[in-house]
Amino acid sequence: MHNTNSTLQPKLERLLDLSLACVTMLLLSPLWLINVLLAVWQHKAPLVKIVQQDVLCRDHGLYRWQVGFLPTSAALLNVANGSLSLVGVSLNGGFGSIHRADLHNLKAGLYSIAEIQHRVGLIGLTVEQSMAHHQAQRSTSLYLKYLLKGLFSSLLYRTAHLRAPSSFKLFGIRIDNLRMAQAVDLICADAAPRVGPVRRPCNVVNFINVNSINLAYRNRSFRHTLNRANCTLADGSGVRLGARSMQVQLKDNINGTDLMPILCAQMVAQKRSLYLFGSAPGVALKAAVALQANHPGLIIAGVQHGHLTDLDNDQIVEAINAAQADVLLVALGSPIQEDWVMANRLRLKVGTAIAVGGLFDFLSGNIPRAPLWMRELGLEWVFRLIQEPRVKFTRYVIGNPLFLWRAFVLKKSQADL
């Protein structure tokens, strides 16, 4: 049965490629006719072939219009003649080269799993793993699924002609444009507890999402608090769109849920410890148990729920300091958590304090994560809205459109508020 499927599936994909390419070319024919006429007018050949190498080091001559509209749409001719597929191996040279002879039966594609995840900054499969997954799960449903994801992500998150600075300001808030691995290295490098007669403030890391930007838009004090952090990380598809309005490409989508497995693995290797502070009673403890189950050897220095009064603040700081934790996770919700960390950073004897929002609910299993297909489309917020419509209504149904209005219509994203 497997052999039959492995023989039949490429034929089905070829049929789909040819059918969809022909339909699309028919729809684009008026534009293509204009491209041909413009090329003739300028005494140029309408089409050129650009040699491009896929990640399996295979050369491909991709058709491209010399002048006119949608120049890369000419690659549909490659799909029609069978030299490319709509969904296949990535043609992105930035992904490096992979030498896997067993994957050569996969054609290069205009869309790929790796490219889709890269566009939304998703930290998931490596390029090699994504190709192995494609081959192992190869089917018509997978082909159609990633074709639709590719079309959606290319419309919303296309990265052509974008710059990738090390940091930039979005609505007056500094954002450090880092890779996930860079963020983890930075946290661990600064994680040694502040002890001894001379101590410097603990390092502060904040995640910047649409909600925190909206909160800071009219709140100068909170905006100042966010900018005083040592490191601010871009979290979510909304921030990615906001950055795009400034022609900036985010290197990765760095959220707490994706960061924790990588951070914990590194902390185990370096024998660092965590302290979990915040969330409802019992949630931090449940999250700590889950972390240790998933990362044997991880040191949990302590846990403390976040339902406290101001009178408890000194006791909390003393308990955290007594635990001698390397990294402190604070889950009190924005803007309380960021304000709390900044107010206590001179007293805290931890190396790094990270404001993590609702992270403990995810780590504990109290709230399930959005399915992968929604994360690949940058729609995790839709899943959260479905889970808690009353709680998240203002944040997402009102907040997200307001953010986009300010970024793309009012053009305020570059304003130094």
Side-chain angles (χ1 to χ4, degrees):
M1 182 70 178
H2 175 74
N3 290 336
T4 303
N5 184 63
S6 62
T7 305
L8 180 61
Q9 188 56 39
K11 295 179 180 178
L12 289 173
E13 290 179 8
R14 174 68 189 126
L15 180 61
L16 286 168
D17 279 337
L18 183 58
S19 302
L20 293 171
C22 288
V23 170
T24 308
M25 288 190 293
L26 183 62
L27 293 173
L28 291 174
S29 57
L31 284 180
W32 283 16
L33 179 59
I34 294 173
N35 291 352
V36 171
L37 294 174
L38 287 173
V40 171
W41 179 264
Q42 297 180 27
H43 304 288
K44 294 181 178 180
L47 292 170
V48 291
K49 261 192 176 183
I50 307 295
V51 177
Q52 197 164 333
Q53 197 172 74
D54 66 26
V55 295
L56 291 175
C57 305
R58 301 173 299 187
D59 289 333
H60 304 275
L62 271 63
Y63 289 109
R64 183 183 178 93
W65 294 107
Q66 282 218 77
V67 293
F69 304 97
L70 303 175
T72 59
S73 66
L76 287 168
L77 294 168
N78 295 95
V79 177
N81 69 25
S83 58
L84 285 184
S85 177
L86 288 171
V87 178
V89 173
S90 176
L91 288 160
N92 188 336
F95 288 155
S97 301
I98 295 169
H99 302 280
R100 285 279 300 271
D102 60 314
L103 297 173
H104 275 242
N105 64 324
L106 291 174
K107 288 183 180 180
L110 298 183
Y111 300 112
S112 69
I113 298 174
E115 187 72 26
I116 291 166
Q117 294 190 347
H118 173 71
R119 280 200 184 108
V120 298
L122 183 65
I123 309 301
L125 302 174
T126 65
V127 177
E128 185 172 354
Q129 288 171 341
S130 71
M131 290 190 296
H133 171 74
H134 185 165
Q135 175 149 286
Q137 304 297 323
R138 193 171 183 179
S139 64
T140 303
S141 61
L142 182 139
Y143 171 98
L144 293 173
K145 179 171 67 173
Y146 280 101
L147 175 59
L148 291 173
K149 289 178 183 178
L151 289 168
F152 183 86
S153 64
S154 63
L155 287 172
L156 277 185
Y157 306 111
R158 58 184 299 182
T159 57
H161 311 301
L162 300 184
R163 56 194 176 89
S166 58
S167 67
F168 63 97
K169 278 197 170 185
L170 182 61
F171 290 101
I173 300 170
R174 189 193 81 252
I175 294 178
D176 297 306
N177 193 11
L178 303 179
R179 294 286 186 191
M180 180 71 81
Q182 291 176 304
V184 171
D185 287 343
L186 184 148
I187 292 168
C188 289
D190 292 326
R194 302 326 191 215
V195 295
V198 179
R199 295 200 315 271
R200 60 188 176 91
C202 70
N203 284 294
V204 176
V205 176
N206 290 327
F207 293 100
I208 305 300
N209 54 35
V210 167
N211 183 56
S212 53
I213 291 174
N214 283 342
L215 290 172
Y217 187 79
R218 297 293 186 190
N219 188 332
R220 184 182 296 272
S221 175
F222 183 50
R223 191 162 62 248
H224 179 61
T225 295
L226 293 177
N227 282 325
R228 288 175 63 196
N230 300 87
C231 181
T232 50
L233 303 172
D235 173 9
S237 56
V239 178
R240 180 168 293 272
L241 288 173
R244 183 179 163 186
S245 74
M246 301 171 57
Q247 303 302 306
V248 170
Q249 177 186 351
L250 292 182
K251 296 174 182 176
D252 277 335
N253 174 35
I254 305 180
N255 58 74
T257 317
D258 288 332
L259 178 138
M260 283 307 295
I262 305 170
L263 175 62
C264 288
Q266 193 152 319
M267 292 186 72
V268 169
Q270 297 180 2
K271 295 182 171 56
R272 305 282 194 184
S273 61
L274 275 176
Y275 194 105
L276 281 68
F277 167 44
S279 243
V283 176
L285 178 59
K286 193 176 177 182
V289 170
L291 284 174
Q292 288 185 313
N294 293 326
H295 303 278
L298 179 65
I299 303 169
I300 301 295
V303 298
Q304 172 61 58
H305 67 75
H307 285 207
L308 306 164
T309 66
D310 291 338
L311 298 176
D312 299 306
N313 190 66
D314 289 344
Q315 296 174 9
I316 291 301
V317 173
E318 290 172 7
I320 293 169
N321 289 343
Q324 297 185 348
D326 295 302
V327 175
L328 168 67
L329 305 181
V330 182
L332 301 174
S334 293
I336 297 172
Q337 59 190 13
E338 292 87 358
D339 288 339
W340 187 91
V341 170
M342 197 56 64
N344 292 286
R345 70 180 305 193
L346 293 174
R347 302 171 60 198
L348 290 168
K349 296 180 181 180
V350 299
T352 301
I354 311 174
V356 296
L359 177 64
F360 297 172
D361 288 315
F362 293 108
L363 296 178
S364 64
N366 285 359
I367 296 179
R369 188 89 189 270
L372 179 61
W373 71 266
M374 295 189 81
R375 285 181 275 145
E376 286 177 329
L377 295 176
L379 296 177
E380 190 164 7
W381 65 272
V382 176
F383 189 75
R384 294 290 293 118
L385 179 61
I386 293 170
Q387 287 175 312
E388 300 178 283
R390 290 187 179 181
V391 176
K392 301 298 182 183
F393 182 86
T394 300
R395 176 169 177 167
Y396 293 131
V397 178
I398 297 176
N400 285 0
L402 182 60
F403 172 84
L404 295 175
W405 173 263
R406 289 167 174 166
F408 288 95
V409 180
L410 300 183
K411 306 290 185 182
K412 291 286 188 72
S413 55
Q414 297 188 61
D416 194 5
L417 304 174

